[in-house]
């Protein structure tokens, strides 16, 4: 899913120049490889010829055609180098195919390529107060968060979605409803998209939790895979739910899906797709209203195309 910028600033980009320069790269690469192979050929043929006491034309690096044995070696080397060159060249264009880049998210192949757009809910009342939210349903979209939802709606309005999945927790639910307003396709709520359950930390200001529960808070911030609270491991649990959420999302009908949820489960969705474990929980970050794009090939292998796009929150009339 290519990103199409319809903002007026995009007209100022010198795109043709980039295309021209980019088009020249393959031919430059071919010339460099041919030169390297030519040098290897000369050295190899010269060495082979010296072993059988055959004359070599030092100016051209080729064996005299009157000497049959060395000529066979020359032909063999040329064919070998040509085969190597041909085998390498498809990678230039073939790199666009990301098959094998990541492990499949499903046990069975998909019927068609799928596009998944992930969105984090807008600013909430507890975000504004720097409170730990977790799975609590008491935090709701703030006025600014609702405005961010409308900006997301505008940025995504040119995209055709087959359906939308969202967390049923109010701040994400309200975000999804605002974005999805006016569309006739289904809006479905999945429990697998709920935020992590942080027990007695929920509702506490971060500064207070850091003072009252220093070890627990430190583990939450610095050692997520070993973070333990309320008899469980919330981040590890997120990974299990993220895998189930991917299965639900990708098993649904349609090729293009919108997902609206929370930061922690978004981190788990992204990391599981890229093959990273719970210890990498804080390796990615998603802002309120941030948008991520995934392309899933027919083997179920994911490609992260865009991470945490937020330009639409700052530039009016920006379309993805």
């Amino acid at each position: 899913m290519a990103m199409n910028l319809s903002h007026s600033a995009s007209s100022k980009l010198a795109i043709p120049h980039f295309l021209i320069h980019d088009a020249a790269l393959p031919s430059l690469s071919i010339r460099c490889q041919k030169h390297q192979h030519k040098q290897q050929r000369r050295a190899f043929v010269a060495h082979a010829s010296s072993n059988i006491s055959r004359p070599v034309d030092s100016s051209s690096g080729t064996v005299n055609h009157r000497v049959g044995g060395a000529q066979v070696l020359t032909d063999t080397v040329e064919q070998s180098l040509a085969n190597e060159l041909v085998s390498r060249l498809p990678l230039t264009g073939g790199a666009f195919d990301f098959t094998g880049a990541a492990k499949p998210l499903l046990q069975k192949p998909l019927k068609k390529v799928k596009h998944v757009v992930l969105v984090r809910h807008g600013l909430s009342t507890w975000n504004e107060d720097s409170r730990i939210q977790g799975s609590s349903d008491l935090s709701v979209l703030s006025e600014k968060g609702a405005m961010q939802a409308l900006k997301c709606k505008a940025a995504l309005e040119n995209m055709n979605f087959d359906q939308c999945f969202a967390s049923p927790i109010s701040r994400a639910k309200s975000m999804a409803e605002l974005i999805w307003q006016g569309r006739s396709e289904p809006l479905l709520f999945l429990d697998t998209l709920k935020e992590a359950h942080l027990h007695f930390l929920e509702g506490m200001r971060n500064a207070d939790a850091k003072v009252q529960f220093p070890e627990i808070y430190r583990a939450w911030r610095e050692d997520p895979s070993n973070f333990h609270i309320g008899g469980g491991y919330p981040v590890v649990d997120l990974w299990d739910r993220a895998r189930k959420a991917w299965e639900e999302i990708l098993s649904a009908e349609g090729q293009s899906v919108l997902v609206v949820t929370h930061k922690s489960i978004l981190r788990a969705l992204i990391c599981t797709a890229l093959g990273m474990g719970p210890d990498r929980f804080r390796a990615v970050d998603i802002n309120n209203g941030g948008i991520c794009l995934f392309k899933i090939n027919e083997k179920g292998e994911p490609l992260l195309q865009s991470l945490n796009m937020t330009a639409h929150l700052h530039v009016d009339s920006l379309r993805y």
Side-chain angles (χ1 to χ4, degrees):
M1 182 183 295
M3 185 172 73
N4 179 28
L5 297 178
S6 61
H7 185 253
S8 58
S10 64
S11 62
K12 299 180 181 179
L13 296 176
I15 294 177
H17 297 290
F18 285 111
L19 293 177
I20 291 171
H21 294 165
D22 186 57
L25 291 179
S27 61
L28 177 61
S29 175
I30 293 172
R31 290 199 299 272
C32 291
Q33 292 189 48
K34 282 184 177 179
H35 178 69
Q36 181 181 11
H37 291 163
K38 188 175 181 179
Q39 290 181 321
Q40 292 174 346
R41 173 183 172 279
R42 287 178 176 174
F44 189 94
V45 172
H47 176 71
S49 300
S50 64
N51 286 342
I52 58 176
S53 301
R54 301 299 185 191
V56 179
D57 186 341
S58 60
S59 62
S60 65
T62 59
V63 181
N64 191 303
H65 283 224
R66 290 174 297 177
V67 184
Q71 180 61 39
V72 172
L73 283 175
T74 303
D75 294 341
T76 302
V77 172
E78 286 180 339
Q79 185 61 48
S80 175
L81 293 174
N83 291 341
E84 182 182 354
L85 180 60
V86 170
S87 67
R88 288 183 181 181
L89 289 181
L91 293 178
T92 302
F96 188 77
D97 180 3
F98 58 94
T99 299
K103 293 182 179 179
L105 293 169
L106 289 175
Q107 296 298 320
K108 59 181 180 180
L110 298 173
K111 295 179 181 179
K112 295 181 179 180
V113 171
K114 284 184 179 282
H115 300 278
V116 180
V117 178
L118 306 174
V119 182
R120 183 188 173 192
H121 66 74
L123 195 71
S124 70
T125 51
W126 282 12
N127 284 147
E128 292 181 335
D129 289 342
S130 188
R131 293 183 184 275
I132 299 173
Q133 300 187 106
S135 60
S136 172
D137 210 11
L138 299 177
S139 177
V140 298
L141 277 187
S142 66
E143 183 178 347
K144 183 175 180 179
M147 292 300 297
Q148 290 174 330
L150 295 178
K151 285 180 177 289
C152 287
K153 175 182 175 63
L156 299 173
E157 68 178 4
N158 290 340
M159 290 187 180
N160 294 319
F161 293 106
D162 295 297
Q163 53 191 314
C164 175
F165 295 103
S167 162
I169 296 176
S170 61
R171 56 192 184 275
K173 181 175 183 289
S174 298
M175 181 80 170
E177 289 171 341
L178 286 170
I179 294 175
W180 206 244
Q181 188 175 15
R183 294 182 185 256
S184 59
E185 296 78 9
L187 170 55
L188 304 174
F189 300 99
L190 302 178
D191 286 341
T192 51
L193 293 176
K194 286 183 176 181
E195 188 59 301
H197 187 22
L198 300 179
H199 298 273
F200 55 82
L201 290 181
E202 294 179 357
M204 294 188 67
R205 295 181 185 274
N206 279 278
D208 296 335
K210 185 176 181 180
V211 173
Q212 296 181 37
F213 305 101
E215 291 303 317
I216 293 176
Y217 188 81
R218 184 204 63 77
W220 164 239
R221 302 298 300 181
E222 301 176 16
D223 191 14
S225 59
N226 291 314
F227 169 56
H228 182 270
I229 189 173
Y233 293 83
V235 176
V236 175
D237 291 342
L238 276 179
W239 255 243
D240 291 335
R241 284 202 287 109
R243 294 188 184 96
K244 293 175 182 177
W246 274 121
E247 291 180 4
E248 291 178 297
I249 293 166
L250 298 180
S251 297
E253 294 297 325
Q255 288 186 262
S256 186
V257 180
L258 176 65
V259 177
V260 182
T261 186
H262 315 269
K263 179 161 71 170
S264 292
I265 185 62
L266 278 173
R267 283 172 158 170
L269 288 168
I270 293 166
C271 286
T272 53
L274 299 180
M276 297 188 290
D279 58 322
R280 300 290 88 192
F281 173 66
R282 297 193 183 277
V284 297
D285 199 10
I286 313 296
N287 291 78
N288 291 110
I291 297 175
C292 306
L293 306 180
F294 267 99
K295 180 180 179 181
I296 317 294
N297 67 13
E298 293 178 350
K299 293 184 177 182
E301 299 166 339
L303 170 69
L304 178 60
Q305 294 183 303
S306 298
L307 176 66
N308 195 28
M309 296 190 296
T310 58
H312 57 284
L313 302 176
H314 310 288
V315 179
D316 291 334
S317 302
L318 184 66
R319 302 289 184 269
Y320 292 128

